[in-house]
Amino acid sequence: MNDLVAVANSWNDFYRQNRPGIPFLRNVPDENLVDWITTGRCLPGRALDVGCGLGRNSIYLAQRGWQVDALDLSAEALGTAREWAVSARAIIDFAETDVFDSRWQPEHYNLIYDSGCLHHVPPDDRHRWLSRYARLLSAGGQLAIVAFAPESGAPIANDQPPVPGSRTGWAFTEEGLHDLLSEHFVVDQLRRMRPKEATAPEMGVDFLWVA
C-alpha cells in the first residue's frame, strides 16, 4: 500500500465516524476566508481548494462567483461535499486526487486555498508542494494557508519521520511558517485564526495560523 492510499483510507475512516463538536465538520467557511472575500482582498476568479474535505470553503467561494475546482483524497468526504454543494446550488468540480495530478493546469488559478493540508505534508516534502502551488497560480495569484499552531497539540519537530496514514500532522511556529512560505511567496499576512462560537456562521479556532 503506498502512502497516498494509506492517507486516503485513514481519512475515509475518519469521515465515516460520527464526530460531533469538530469545527471543520460543520458546513460553514473559515473566518479568514470570509474576511478576505468580504474586504475585497480576493476578487472572484478561478480557485483551487486543496484538501477540501466536506467542501465548506468551496461552497462559500462558488456562491460568490468563483469558478472552483476542489480536490481531496477521501472519497467519503467528497461524497458529502457533493451533496452539500447540490443543496447549496453551488457548481464545483470535485476530484478525488492530489495537487500533483496533471489535470491541474499551470498558471490557471487566481487563488489556491489550503485549509489544513500543508500541515499534514511531511517536512521534507513541503517545498515540493509550495513549488507546485506557485506553478499553478496565475500572475498575481494568491495562496491562502490555514495550518496548525503549537497549541494544536501537534508536534513541531521537523525531523520527525512521516507515519503512513497518520492524521496527526505537524505544527508550525510563527517564524517557521513565515520562513517556509517566504521562500516561495510574499507573505503579506500571518495571524492566528479568530475564534468563533460553535454555532457561528464561520469556523474559527485560535490554534490555527492563517496566512
Side-chain angles (χ1 to χ4, degrees):
M1 180 184 299
N2 64 40
D3 287 351
L4 285 181
V5 172
V7 170
N9 288 341
S10 178
W11 282 107
N12 282 332
D13 289 342
F14 173 86
Y15 284 111
R16 288 189 191 105
Q17 300 173 34
N18 182 19
R19 295 176 177 267
I22 295 180
F24 66 84
L25 297 184
R26 295 174 57 229
N27 189 9
V28 295
D30 293 341
E31 67 81 11
N32 54 292
L33 180 61
V34 174
D35 179 50
W36 295 337
I37 297 300
T38 57
T39 60
R41 178 181 174 183
C42 297
L43 300 176
R46 292 183 296 270
L48 180 65
D49 187 0
V50 180
C52 67
L54 301 180
R56 55 196 180 81
N57 291 307
S58 294
I59 291 169
Y60 179 81
L61 289 169
Q63 289 178 323
R64 282 150 186 84
W66 289 77
Q67 300 174 43
V68 183
D69 293 332
L71 65 94
D72 204 283
L73 292 176
S74 171
E76 287 289 328
L78 291 174
T80 299
R82 291 185 176 101
E83 292 176 0
W84 284 4
V86 169
S87 296
R89 298 183 179 179
I91 299 174
I92 301 164
D93 186 4
F94 290 105
E96 184 183 340
T97 186
D98 68 9
V99 75
F100 296 99
D101 193 305
S102 61
R103 78 183 70 187
W104 314 124
Q105 301 175 31
E107 302 180 7
H108 185 69
Y109 295 101
N110 306 102
L111 172 67
I112 293 179
Y113 196 73
D114 175 333
S115 182
C117 192
L118 184 65
H119 60 215
H120 290 291
V121 176
D124 61 359
D125 204 24
R126 290 171 181 163
H127 287 292
R128 184 173 73 102
W129 277 70
L130 292 173
S131 294
R132 177 64 169 162
Y133 287 168
R135 179 167 171 74
L136 295 178
L137 284 170
S138 61
Q142 296 173 291
L143 170 67
I145 296 286
V146 178
F148 285 147
E151 290 79 3
S152 66
I156 298 174
N158 282 352
D159 59 353
Q160 179 177 339
V163 179
S166 172
R167 295 192 305 268
T168 302
W170 291 267
F172 293 94
T173 64
E174 183 175 8
E175 180 181 11
L177 182 56
H178 184 278
D179 289 350
L180 174 67
L181 295 176
S182 63
E183 291 192 40
H184 301 266
F185 302 93
V186 174
V187 181
D188 60 2
Q189 183 184 76
L190 177 55
R191 64 168 174 85
R192 289 299 182 96
M193 181 177 273
R194 301 183 183 104
K196 298 291 182 177
E197 297 293 333
T199 56
E202 305 163 10
M203 194 283 283
V205 290
D206 60 4
F207 58 77
L208 293 172
W209 296 113
V210 298

